[in-house]
Amino acid sequence: PDPSQRSRTRPTPSGATSATLFTYPRAVALPRATPPVAVPTTVSRRSLPNRIRPTPAAATCPTPTMSQSAVVGRGPNRPGRAVRVPLRCPTSLAAKLRGARTIQRRPIKFPKVRRVPDPWAPAFVASAVRALLERKPPSGRLVKEVVVSAEEAAVQLTQQVERLWADSTLGSKQGLWRRFQSWIDKESLPESADSACLFVQATGVQTTSMLTYCASLAGAFRKLGLDVGPLHVFMASLRAQGGKVASKPAPSMPREVMAQLVRHLARTRRFAEAAATLLAWKSASRWGDVRRLPRHQVLQLTDTRVIVDWGHIPKGWRSVRAHPSQLCVIEGEFTPLLCRLIAALGPFTELCPLSTPQFHQRILQQFPPAAALKLTPHSIKHGVADVLIRLRAEGTLLEEHDELIARVLKHRAHCSLPDITLQYVNDRPSLAVALGPHLI
């Protein structure tokens, strides 16, 4: 048998059992830098150095590891005396077992390395960027000097911020904000999102209007750097109740009423209003987008074709560099009349000076059919949506034209017909025939 696997007891000549011995392997694995050292198979107390003192308890233990200790007993003749050998490393253990001097390892001295700043540390990055910016530019590039003072720049900045919203949107936001400020002053409440939720709930308006109020106040709070968490929770509850669905959409303007309105405006020599109304119908646009169209964005003006580049006038395309819906080609019915109306205006920076509320009041007061049908400037786009869906139901427009319908209405189409396009349609029977399932 393998000597390393001998029994832990050895018989004596008299038949008695000698001291309990511990069996070690013949060699102990050492680190790579030091070759393995041979170790005696058995260990007794006499082979250990004299400076190792025995411990009071005698015991046996399995094969030691780096975290264990070897216990050597004296046997029944001298009971109660054993030696515990701590095994810190194989090299020192081999030296102790051979009775040699304990090998003391010298600490490894690493060469001193010059510490380099961490390139990803924020302070290091900031200093590097600052040094890069303060470096002198290339010789061929000129640096423009500041031409205005801080006071003049503040005035220009204020004017720039005022262009954040359109005039109509800014007016509605200002009115809502003044109502909110007066209400919290009356109720002695702080200017916070919780007070805004209480104010919107106290207005008692429809769910859709409450959602609009919350969105307006949340936008103002974000720009002021205030917390909007409660408003978001309130808006989520309103959406769960169907707040995104308009309860009373603008009524659709029929084609015949639109033609009568254009002729009425042309007879009264209000060519700008007539041109804007007809262009809004032919291009399925909002009144606020049409009235701000400058003359240089009308690319072609003939009796058979009018080409318009909307650019970034529609609010849906202000953050988009280019999109196919920004270009519009107008042909067919009413095109010669539209050409004559635009040509009669001459050069202009805005097609029509009237805002949406002003035009609304004028057609209600001076055009009886509009007052009878309770039409609004937004009714023009709703009427165009009804005409397109009616053509789709009749089969004039096919299923592959659904995306084109959304583009004509200037809606971003993530699918063939997005939900915003369907909300513009008031002719629900035609919508059902065009898109609904036909059951037999």
Side-chain angles (χ1 to χ4, degrees):
D2 188 358
S4 62
Q5 303 298 330
R6 294 175 182 174
S7 174
R8 297 175 184 269
T9 60
R10 183 178 60 185
T12 58
S14 58
T17 304
S18 65
T20 302
L21 302 177
F22 191 86
T23 302
Y24 284 92
R26 289 188 175 274
V28 179
L30 300 177
R32 295 181 179 179
T34 307
V37 181
V39 182
T41 303
T42 58
V43 180
S44 63
R45 185 175 182 275
R46 295 178 181 178
S47 62
L48 296 174
N50 295 329
R51 57 190 179 86
I52 300 180
R53 298 288 183 256
T55 55
T60 60
C61 67
T63 303
T65 62
M66 294 293 292
S67 61
Q68 295 176 345
S69 301
V71 180
V72 182
R74 294 300 306 274
N77 296 332
R78 299 176 66 180
R81 302 179 67 84
V83 177
R84 182 180 299 274
V85 181
L87 302 179
R88 290 189 177 90
C89 65
T91 305
S92 61
L93 173 63
K96 291 179 181 179
L97 294 178
R98 292 196 306 267
R101 293 180 60 185
T102 303
I103 301 176
Q104 296 183 357
R105 289 190 174 185
R106 296 180 180 179
I108 301 176
K109 294 183 178 181
F110 295 95
K112 292 184 178 180
V113 180
R114 184 174 61 86
R115 295 185 59 83
V116 180
D118 184 7
W120 299 109
F124 181 82
V125 173
S127 61
V129 171
R130 181 177 294 276
L132 180 63
L133 293 176
E134 293 177 354
R135 189 181 304 172
K136 185 178 179 180
S139 57
R141 183 168 299 178
L142 299 178
V143 180
K144 294 183 178 180
E145 298 292 339
V146 179
V147 296
V148 297
S149 61
E151 292 78 7
E152 297 176 356
V155 174
Q156 297 177 5
L157 180 60
T158 303
Q159 296 174 356
Q160 180 64 36
V161 173
E162 290 177 353
R163 301 171 187 170
L164 182 63
W165 295 292
D167 296 338
S168 57
T169 306
L170 181 60
S172 62
K173 288 181 178 294
Q174 289 173 343
L176 180 63
W177 184 259
R178 284 195 296 268
R179 291 171 57 192
F180 170 64
Q181 291 292 333
S182 61
W183 186 80
I184 60 176
D185 292 342
K186 178 182 177 181
E187 300 293 337
S188 301
L189 294 175
E191 186 181 285
S192 62
D194 296 313
S195 302
C197 295
L198 294 175
F199 164 73
V200 174
Q201 188 66 43
T203 55
V205 295
Q206 297 291 334
T207 305
T208 53
S209 300
M210 293 174 67
L211 184 60
T212 303
Y213 290 173
C214 287
S216 178
L217 292 174
F221 274 41
R222 280 193 298 268
K223 290 175 176 58
L224 294 175
L226 302 177
D227 180 33
V228 293
L231 278 171
H232 285 173
V233 177
F234 190 27
M235 292 169 65
S237 66
L238 294 175
R239 293 191 192 97
Q241 298 177 10
K244 293 189 68 175
V245 181
S247 57
K248 294 181 179 180
S252 300
M253 179 180 290
R255 174 187 171 281
E256 296 77 11
V257 175
M258 186 277 307
Q260 295 176 13
L261 177 60
V262 171
R263 295 190 186 97
H264 169 74
L265 295 174
R267 283 196 303 266
T268 56
R269 303 191 63 81
R270 289 182 286 178
F271 299 120
E273 300 173 32
T277 303
L278 189 55
L279 181 59
W281 176 270
K282 293 291 291 184
S283 62
S285 303
R286 294 170 174 264
W287 178 266
D289 298 338
V290 171
R291 63 171 292 270
R292 292 187 290 114
L293 180 69
R295 178 62 179 85
H296 68 272
Q297 291 187 211
V298 180
L299 305 182
Q300 183 177 346
L301 189 63
T302 62
D303 291 341
T304 58
R305 177 178 296 175
V306 178
I307 301 178
V308 177
D309 181 8
W310 293 106
H312 300 307
I313 294 178
K315 64 179 183 179
W317 312 116
R318 292 175 186 172
S319 59
V320 179
R321 293 185 177 181
H323 194 272
S325 298
Q326 294 175 339
L327 299 174
C328 179
V329 180
I330 300 173
E331 296 176 345
E333 190 181 16
F334 300 115
T335 303
L337 177 59
L338 176 62
C339 177
R340 291 194 299 269
L341 290 173
I342 295 178
L345 298 177
F348 53 84
T349 56
E350 287 187 351
L351 181 59
C352 183
L354 295 182
S355 63
T356 304
Q358 292 173 348
F359 179 68
H360 186 201
Q361 293 296 329
R362 180 164 294 187
I363 62 174
L364 290 179
Q365 295 173 1
Q366 302 180 7
F367 189 62
L373 297 175
K374 298 181 180 180
L375 300 178
T376 67
H378 210 50
S379 299
I380 301 175
K381 192 170 183 177
H382 282 274
V384 177
D386 284 351
V387 171
L388 293 176
I389 291 298
R390 199 173 296 119
L391 293 175
R392 174 73 169 80
E394 294 173 357
T396 306
L397 296 178
L398 303 179
E399 184 178 356
E400 53 266 22
H401 298 142
D402 290 347
E403 186 177 354
L404 181 61
I405 295 175
R407 286 176 54 184
V408 169
L409 295 173
K410 299 178 181 58
H411 296 154
R412 294 189 181 184
H414 302 288
C415 56
S416 58
L417 280 178
D419 54 352
I420 183 64
T421 302
L422 301 180
Q423 290 180 16
Y424 267 85
V425 180
N426 292 330
D427 190 354
R428 310 303 288 182
S430 298
L431 181 62
V433 173
L435 303 178
H438 293 253
L439 305 179
I440 300 177

